[in-house]
Amino acid sequence: MLHTWPPFSETRAEEVQPIEAAFTVAPDILAIEGDFAYGEYLSSECTTCHQATGANDGIPGIIGWETEDFVIAMHAYREKHRENPVMQMITGRLADDEIAALASYFKSLGE
Amino acid sequence: MALNRRSFLGASAAGLSVLAAPTVQAAGHGKPRVVVIGGGAGGATAARYIAKDSKGEVDVTLVEPTRTYYTCFFSNLYLGGFKSISDIGHTYGGLAARGVNVVHDWATGVDRAAKTVTLAGGATLNYDKLILSPGIDFVDGAVEGWDITAQNKMPHAYKAGSQSELLKAQLAAMPEGGTFMMVAPPNPYRCPPGPYERVSMVAHYLKNNNPTAKIIVADPKPKFSKMALFQEGWANHYEGMIDWIGEDFGGGNVSVDPGAMTVTIDGEVTKADVCNVIPAMKAGRIAEIAGVTDGNWAPVNAADMSTKADPDVYVLGDASQQGDMPKSGFSANSQAKVCANAVRGALTGSRVFPAKFSNTCWSLIDTNDGVKVGATYEATDEKIAKVDGFISATGETSDVRKATYEESEGWYTGITNDMFS
């Protein structure tokens, strides 16, 4: 099945930007196994702004997300279905496997 | 008594400045040793990431003379009254708790053949890899009439802390209808939008406290970072208050007389009540002492920030000559992570991933009127090269500008945690 954006739980629904229409990511992309160590390295670019504690201070927390939610959100920025020029730029050069790696790592921080 | 890291830190904190060399090389045990000089956005981040990710496999010593580090980023917001001085001050206890050996001292010498660093307190540190992140110093004679002995009469306030407090006190003491002057720096320099955010924050303060005061900027450049955004903001918020004199109108032909408190711009003498002189910049002096500079800056390899002069000496941030990235705290933090990954890999065999760099610079023009510029970068054989970028648009809604300011506050918390926690 195709997964639909946004599939968020209540705990972070308020952090999520609205999106103009359902945004989908193909199953084979969602199925990519994230390289945890690579994700840990790549995550350091994110933690300049997004706090590793998950706090929300003007910039949303991103730890502990379900990997699928994370992957869909990043693809939505990359395809410019979500706004914010910083996020569109950062995701613009992330390959599918890099997004999967980040999803794997940030999920682990919430565990 | 053999000192371990913790007791060394305690002794240092108690103000004992001289310790014999062997005690500083605590917990050697044959582990690879990294010495980091400079505890700002580059050095603190590099020390933190190497210590955190190596999980004790690498000995990390951070040499930083100040016990409280005041970030240059957001120091303009302190001038504008949006932040207190304590809001921008950070200490090194978090890094010490992560296992970084924090030594509050000046590095005065580097012997690259012996792989040692000498400290002002007399100690010698051995290293396998040396990371220099010393920030900036000023080019001697860059502004005629000004040198470092004049910094109390005409502050630079471009290394944050006491200089920022001095400039703010002078601003508060300006007579009604007085004149604030700035001598802006030539390229390249720390924080390209910094002088113009400062003009905005000074104008914000004056509008509320001394509304007939004037601001005159003498600038050796024909244009500057986010120029359209700043000029739009100055017209909207501070109409008639700011006179920017660029290169075309003699803004680069400047001399100052700190005794008389005058500034001469293209032959015309003006009396200043406050004068902020931001001279031309160069790499912090230890980079020159280490012999890794070429001209004013230290050329580095983009893949890992190692210097062209020595593969075991790395330079981060403002002091480096790397290519397309602006000299900013964000850039230094980004470069530090690439460097930390490469250094740890070289010393422990851990995986080394491709370099990715990014930068965003937020500036505040007036209350809730934030703007930003950013870009991503990659390593090429030649340099750090820009990949993609964006800039705030003129005419944005107040909601967008407010969100941008709030984002900058989130970033400040994020990056300072990423450096010091």
Side-chain angles (χ1 to χ4, degrees), chain B residues 264-324:
Chain B
T264 304
I265 305 171
D266 213 22
E268 188 177 329
V269 181
T270 304
K271 181 87 170 67
D273 295 294
V274 178
C275 185
N276 174 205
V277 175
I278 310 173
M281 297 172 202
K282 61 180 182 179
R285 181 154 163 69
I286 194 67
E288 192 182 328
I289 291 170
V292 295
T293 53
D294 180 5
N296 285 338
W297 310 102
V300 295
N301 298 301
D304 61 0
M305 303 302 290
S306 62
T307 55
K308 303 279 189 189
D310 187 331
D312 292 323
V313 179
Y314 301 73
V315 175
L316 304 177
D318 296 348
S320 68
Q321 180 184 305
Q322 35 68 25
D324 294 349

Side-chain angles (χ1 to χ4, degrees), chain A residues 32-35 38 42 95-102:
Chain A
I32 297 170
E33 190 74 21
D35 177 340
Y38 191 27
L42 291 171
D96 294 346
D97 67 313
E98 292 174 326
I99 289 175
L102 282 165

Side-chain angles (χ1 to χ4, degrees), chain A residues 79-95:
Chain A
E79 306 306 321
K80 304 200 188 315
H81 282 260
R82 298 186 86 186
E83 293 179 4
N84 192 306
V86 178
M87 285 306 302
Q88 289 179 351
M89 178 183 77
I90 294 292
T91 54
R93 60 150 173 194
L94 290 175

